[in-house]
Amino acid sequence: MRPEILFNVFSPVTSLTGIGPKTANLLEKLCGRTLLDLCWHLPDKIEQRTVYKSIQEANSDTLATLIIHVGDHHIPRSRKQPYKITVYDDSGMMDLVFFHAHNDYLKKSLPVGQTRLVSGVINKTSTYTQMVHPDHIGFPQDIENWGGMRPLYRLTAGLHSKTITKAIHTALNTMPKLPEWLPPEFVENKGWKSWQESLNQSHHPQTIQDIESTSPTRERLAFDELLANQLTFALMRRHGRKHEGRPLQGSNLYADPLRAALPFQLTKGQEDAFATIKQDMAASKRMIRLLQGDVGSGKTIVALLAMVTAVEAGYQTAFLAPTEILAQQQFQSIKKLTASLNIKVALFTGQNHGEQRKADLEALARGEIDMAIGTHALMVDTIKFNNLGFVVIDEQHRFGVDQRMRLIDKGKNADVLVMTATPIPRTLALTMYGELSVSNIMEKPADRLPIKTSVLSINRVQEVHDSLKRVLDKNEKVYWVCPLIEESEKLDLGHAEARYKILKKVFKDKVGLLHGRMKNDEKDKIMQQFRDGDLQILIATTVIEVGVDVPDATVMIIEHAERFGLSQLHQLRGRVGRSHLESSCLLLYDTPLSETGKKRLAVMRETEDGFKIAEADLKIRGSGDVLGTRQSGLPEFRFVDYAHHLPMIAEAQQMADRLVDMDPFLKSDQGKSARLLLHLFQYTEAIYYLSSG
């Protein structure tokens, strides 16, 4: 239950005077529904407003605040002309200029003969002085609020700057003074203030440095957020020890023949990863391990060897894939590799219906199926295992924590292996995998050739069209990825349907189209035709981003590559170069290229190393979208800027571990304060779920 001291913190924004349903909906869309959400919406810019004593003293092109007397109103004869009001003081005159303004409003807010305060950008020439559309019109007593540094907040359509500024500053006054959860000497050494003071000062910046991630106030808030994150993991590690696993001791009955049947030799990275996983499985403690490997590094065969080991130990296994295409692909691959072994494999997806599905469900419940490969369909209540002991989750960030738990809980303390092809720097891995052991596969199979990556202006796209015939003549295949499915009114970008129509005219029935709005059976059909060679050019969206394996696809063309994150570009490039054939990736960009776009494309040209790309992505993106949060699964923190706050992650982990070691149930004074921190960041309900990995 939430502590009483925090009741008001989580009150809805509608509890503030003047915030009705319409404004509340806009605020919720922008930052959240509670007063705390409002207070955590920090300014991202500041502006300097100068209070001038007279019109003559005011400098041109500055945000000026002046007290003036209202003179004549000059009402325009047509709506195309501006409405002007002459204002003056002892030093001279100035025009206030309004376009498309309501006459009644201006007459009411600036009545002739009255004294008013105006604030806005001054524009001076040798012949006139004017202020176009003042930001504020008020009374002289408002002057203290319209001078000096003022915070500016990110907005959403329909929400005025004054509305959100007033709401935030009102909400700040309701924040309680909370007991300190950080050790006093730590706070002192860092030069930080308390949580409440830091929050308050973040909304009252005095210099541009005050809104940067490296400011003491922002660092304090970021550390609190990281500490809440790491406390959750520390509590899970501490209290998860009582959940003993079951030793899954393999006999090599199936693993040795499987190794012998492989058409390639495992790399050292694969051997090391499997040895570690096998050791974890044999221990009495439950295994929860992350297998990180670059695109094409061979994670799946390591996972299969682990699954085979679990089957040898007498347990059923499950392999959870994020898409129907990948589930089908993994099923076919695993079934082929285990064909000579006495292992039964079944596929469970949303497309499975009828008698076969019924028979598979019954066989699974009786324990007659050893390996269940599937999508989200594996999580439904009708899927029942007899003795599930090992779960593999591929591209784990594609699934919600509760989804993963629904599958894992079908076994009793089952060992869990989660895999990702989006490498994450070790320090960052602490924020999302704090309770997992991590294995990395760094190298690719020896027969893989480098992928030649080129960058070309989209204005030369006709040259690209002309070059495709040479690829098709070699019986090789091409992916062409577009950012959109169809034409958009909001974005002037290439879309898959248009590119498909253009290439279809030239290459006829050799061209296929694949996107996320297609029905699953349509997608499977197109993908199968591409694999079989009936199609040689596949126009697609990012639906083919992860895991799709077509060895004779040798060319990847990415249209409007500047619109994709580095992680996504790397994943897409990884769809080619999956055999001994020479492969290439062409990044088509539109001009003008932003500095970020230039850096991304340069990194893609320079390296294929996913770990280096992840580090580069971290430096290029900074806060807000590191590695592409949707692509990588990294937590979308409110205050943490990965580019600047990396060292604090390890500090937070150490502090969390020390606190939980000394006070495992958080009952001490510091522990009780730490509980408040967990409530603030709403981690309390996540402790159980996060144990799924």
Side-chain angles (χ1 to χ4, degrees):
M1 184 177 173
R2 187 175 290 151
E4 188 175 347
I5 194 172
L6 297 181
F7 282 1
N8 191 60
V9 167
F10 290 96
S11 296
V13 294
T14 49
S15 63
L16 297 178
T17 303
I19 302 296
K22 183 179 178 181
T23 303
N25 287 337
L26 292 172
L27 290 172
E28 183 173 350
K29 177 183 175 183
L30 180 65
C31 53
R33 60 175 299 277
T34 70
L35 299 188
L36 184 63
D37 291 325
L38 267 181
C39 293
W40 280 355
H41 187 69
L42 302 185
D44 58 354
K45 295 177 185 175
I46 58 173
E47 63 181 15
Q48 170 74 57
R49 286 188 185 268
T50 304
V51 176
Y52 290 106
K53 293 179 181 178
S54 67
I55 293 172
Q56 185 180 20
E57 184 185 289
N59 293 324
S60 186
D61 300 321
T62 61
L63 274 169
T65 298
L66 294 159
I67 295 174
I68 48 83
H69 304 295
V70 182
D72 294 336
H73 284 235
H74 305 282
I75 301 172
R77 294 177 181 176
S78 74
R79 288 192 60 79
K80 293 182 179 180
Q81 295 176 314
Y83 189 119
K84 293 184 179 181
I85 302 174
T86 301
V87 298
Y88 61 94
D89 61 16
D90 293 340
S91 71
M93 293 191 299
M94 175 177 73
D95 283 334
L96 303 181
V97 181
F98 302 87
F99 292 92
H100 309 298
H102 294 287
N103 297 1
D104 292 342
Y105 165 75
L106 293 176
K107 288 176 182 177
K108 185 177 179 181
S109 57
L110 289 161
V112 175
Q114 296 295 308
T115 302
R116 290 290 184 268
L117 177 144
V118 292
S119 188
V121 177
I122 286 279
N123 184 262
K124 280 188 172 183
T125 70
S126 58
T127 57
Y128 66 83
T129 299
Q130 66 179 20
M131 181 184 288
V132 179
H133 281 284
D135 299 330
H136 178 72
I137 300 168
F139 296 93
Q141 56 265 36
D142 294 341
I143 198 161
E144 287 187 10
N145 298 324
W146 289 90
M149 291 292 183
R150 291 176 52 79
L152 295 177
Y153 297 94
R154 184 169 50 85
L155 300 172
T156 189
L159 191 62
H160 195 277
S161 178
K162 281 196 285 189
T163 303
I164 191 168
T165 302
K166 182 180 178 182
I168 288 172
H169 286 243
T170 304
L172 277 174
N173 294 330
T174 70
M175 291 297 107
K177 185 176 181 180
L178 300 176
E180 183 60 78
W181 44 77
L182 300 181
E185 64 277 9
F186 181 81
V187 176
E188 186 177 346
N189 289 339
K190 291 287 189 180
W192 292 345
K193 303 288 186 182
S194 69
W195 172 78
Q196 188 185 36
E197 289 174 300
S198 297
L199 188 62
N200 198 50
Q201 286 184 17
S202 292
H203 290 281
H204 295 87
Q206 297 303 307
T207 67
I208 192 68
Q209 287 75 27
D210 290 342
I211 64 168
E212 292 178 352
S213 302
T214 51
S215 71
T217 55
R218 298 283 177 112
E219 283 195 339
R220 162 74 209 235
L221 296 176
F223 188 84
D224 287 337
E225 188 166 28
L226 288 169
L227 181 60
N229 172 269
Q230 291 303 312
L231 261 176
T232 301
F233 289 138
L235 288 166
M236 283 162 30
R237 284 191 293 269
R238 177 81 183 196
H239 298 292
R241 289 172 191 157
K242 63 187 178 184
H243 299 299
E244 292 297 318
R246 297 170 292 179
L248 273 62
Q249 186 75 53
S251 62
N252 292 321
L253 174 66
Y254 300 133
D256 284 348
L258 175 59
R259 278 171 172 273
L262 293 175
F264 53 83
Q265 191 170 357
L266 295 183
T267 64
K268 184 179 182 302
Q270 288 173 311
E271 292 281 13
D272 291 347
F274 176 55
T276 306
I277 292 166
K278 191 174 179 181
Q279 186 177 346
D280 276 5
M281 293 171 68
S284 58
K285 184 181 175 184
R286 181 186 184 196
M287 182 188 83
I288 303 178
R289 179 168 284 275
L290 165 69
L291 180 58
Q292 255 192 160
D294 207 347
V295 176
S297 61
K299 296 179 298 299
T300 304
I301 193 62
V302 174
L304 179 57
L305 284 166
M307 292 169 71
V308 160
T309 301
V311 174
E312 291 170 354
Y315 292 93
Q316 291 174 295
T317 65
F319 188 107
L320 180 62
T323 67
E324 299 264 355
I325 291 173
L326 291 180
Q328 286 273 5
Q329 180 178 288
Q330 298 294 7
F331 171 67
Q332 296 296 342
S333 175
I334 289 172
K335 192 174 181 182
K336 182 179 179 181
L337 287 168
T338 59
S340 61
L341 309 176
N342 188 27
I343 291 177
K344 291 189 174 66
V345 186
L347 177 66
F348 296 89
T349 71
Q351 294 186 55
N352 296 134
H353 301 291
E355 292 302 315
Q356 183 61 54
R357 176 179 172 82
K358 183 180 177 183
D360 286 344
L361 286 173
E362 291 173 354
L364 188 69
R366 290 194 300 267
E368 295 168 7
I369 289 175
D370 302 300
M371 295 182 179
I373 318 298
T375 58
H376 298 75
L378 279 176
M379 305 170 189
V380 299
D381 292 340
T382 53
I383 300 273
K384 298 187 186 301
F385 291 82
N386 181 271
N387 192 18
L388 178 63
F390 190 83
V391 175
V392 178
I393 301 174
D394 194 15
E395 294 302 326
Q396 62 80 36
H397 63 270
R398 298 288 185 103
F399 302 97
V401 177
D402 56 337
Q403 291 177 318
R404 290 174 289 185
M405 283 302 301
R406 283 203 293 274
L407 175 57
I408 293 166
D409 282 351
K410 291 177 184 288
K412 185 178 180 182
N413 296 330
D415 283 355
V416 180
L417 181 67
V418 295
M419 303 196 299
T420 179
T422 306
I424 296 164
R426 174 66 191 131
T427 313
L428 292 188
L430 291 174
T431 66
M432 62 183 294
Y433 302 126
E435 83 290 14
L436 272 73
S437 304
V438 180
S439 293
N440 292 326
I441 303 177
M442 303 298 287
E443 73 268 59
K444 293 183 182 180
D447 66 338
R448 299 289 171 87
L449 298 174
I451 301 170
K452 182 183 177 182
T453 301
S454 307
V455 175
L456 189 70
S457 168
I458 203 164
N459 295 328
R460 297 170 62 185
V461 72
Q462 187 57 50
E463 296 174 35
V464 182
H465 286 176
D466 297 341
S467 69
L468 292 180
K469 187 177 185 302
R470 294 194 294 272
V471 181
L472 271 58
D473 287 344
K474 293 189 291 182
N475 287 320
E476 295 174 9
K477 295 167 188 168
V478 178
Y479 290 106
W480 190 307
V481 175
C482 299
L484 301 177
I485 296 174
E486 58 191 18
E487 189 173 3
S488 167
E489 292 181 4
K490 295 182 180 180
L491 295 172
D492 183 21
L493 298 177
H495 55 284
E497 289 181 347
R499 188 61 56 196
Y500 171 70
K501 289 175 183 176
I502 292 169
L503 291 177
K504 184 84 172 172
K505 289 177 182 177
V506 181
F507 298 103
K508 311 300 180 186
D509 56 358
K510 288 294 181 182
V511 184
L513 176 65
L514 185 72
H515 57 72
R517 288 190 199 157
M518 289 178 167
K519 293 180 180 178
N520 289 326
D521 55 350
E522 286 182 275
K523 286 190 281 190
D524 289 341
K525 180 182 177 183
I526 293 292
M527 205 66 224
Q528 194 60 51
Q529 288 176 327
F530 188 56
R531 282 198 197 96
D532 294 344
D534 298 329
L535 300 174
Q536 283 185 272
I537 301 175
L538 185 63
I539 313 297
T541 57
T542 54
V543 70
I544 54 100
E545 177 187 343
V546 175
V548 174
D549 191 12
V550 181
D552 54 352
T554 60
V555 177
M556 168 60 72
I557 299 167
I558 305 174
E559 192 168 333
H560 284 280
E562 78 279 2
R563 303 291 301 190
F564 295 90
L566 259 179
S567 174
Q568 202 167 32
L569 289 173
H570 181 57
Q571 288 285 346
L572 290 167
R573 179 170 61 182
R575 296 313 100 220
V576 297
R578 304 180 77 84
S579 69
H580 64 284
L581 299 171
E582 288 188 357
S583 296
S584 61
C585 176
L586 179 59
L587 305 175
L588 295 174
Y589 68 89
D590 198 7
T591 54
L593 259 181
S594 66
E595 283 304 310
T596 298
K598 289 176 185 175
K599 289 177 182 177
R600 282 179 185 153
L601 299 186
V603 169
M604 289 296 292
R605 272 204 313 262
E606 291 163 8
T607 183
E608 284 184 62
D609 187 322
F611 288 87
K612 288 181 180 178
I613 287 172
E615 295 283 3
D617 211 2
L618 178 66
K619 292 174 184 174
I620 292 171
R621 290 175 183 261
S623 63
D625 196 20
V626 177
L627 310 180
T629 48
R630 287 178 309 220
Q631 300 160 32
S632 68
L634 281 170
E636 295 189 52
F637 288 124
R638 286 179 180 264
F639 306 122
V640 176
D641 179 342
Y642 289 109
H644 295 294
H645 297 148
L646 277 179
M648 296 200 305
I649 299 175
E651 283 185 297
Q653 185 192 40
Q654 292 165 9
M655 184 179 292
D657 285 343
R658 282 197 302 270
L659 177 57
V660 172
D661 283 345
M662 293 185 298
D663 182 16
F665 294 96
L666 301 184
K667 290 186 176 181
S668 65
D669 287 344
Q670 187 186 356
K672 289 176 182 175
S673 300
R675 283 176 179 250
L676 294 176
L677 176 67
L678 290 172
H679 278 286
L680 277 178
F681 287 99
Q682 300 188 64
Y683 273 107
T684 46
E685 295 174 3
I687 291 173
Y688 168 73
Y689 292 115
L690 284 169
S691 65
S692 69

